[in-house]
Amino acid sequence: MTTIKVTGMSCQHCVNAVTKALNGIEGIQDVQVFLDKGEAQFTEAKPVSRDVIREALQKAGHDLG
């Protein structure tokens, strides 16, 4: 499992947006987002660049912490 910090989350809508953004990245699976911790966890089926993750999160209105 990979754990990342996600900034800008304040509600369940944010959790859903981050979950959808991460699930949309090829190679990422088993996404779990924790609003209270400001974190997301996922499994990388293949290595994924942090730049790709950051870009997907920014499109969803959030950022890599």
Side-chain angles (χ1 to χ4, degrees):
M1 284 295 254
T2 301
T3 301
I4 59 170
K5 289 284 188 186
V6 180
T7 61
M9 293 192 302
S10 61
C11 64
Q12 192 59 40
H13 180 269
C14 297
V15 170
N16 293 341
V18 169
T19 302
K20 183 176 179 181
L22 293 173
N23 275 323
I25 298 172
E26 185 179 344
I28 289 182
Q29 57 193 28
D30 304 323
V31 175
Q32 294 180 297
V33 179
F34 304 98
L35 179 61
D36 58 333
K37 296 179 183 179
E39 293 180 347
Q41 290 182 338
F42 52 85
T43 302
E44 290 183 69
K46 67 177 189 174
V48 178
S49 163
R50 292 296 173 253
D51 291 335
V52 170
I53 294 170
R54 177 174 279 114
E55 183 179 329
L57 290 174
Q58 287 175 341
K59 285 181 181 178
H62 303 283
D63 204 351
L64 202 51

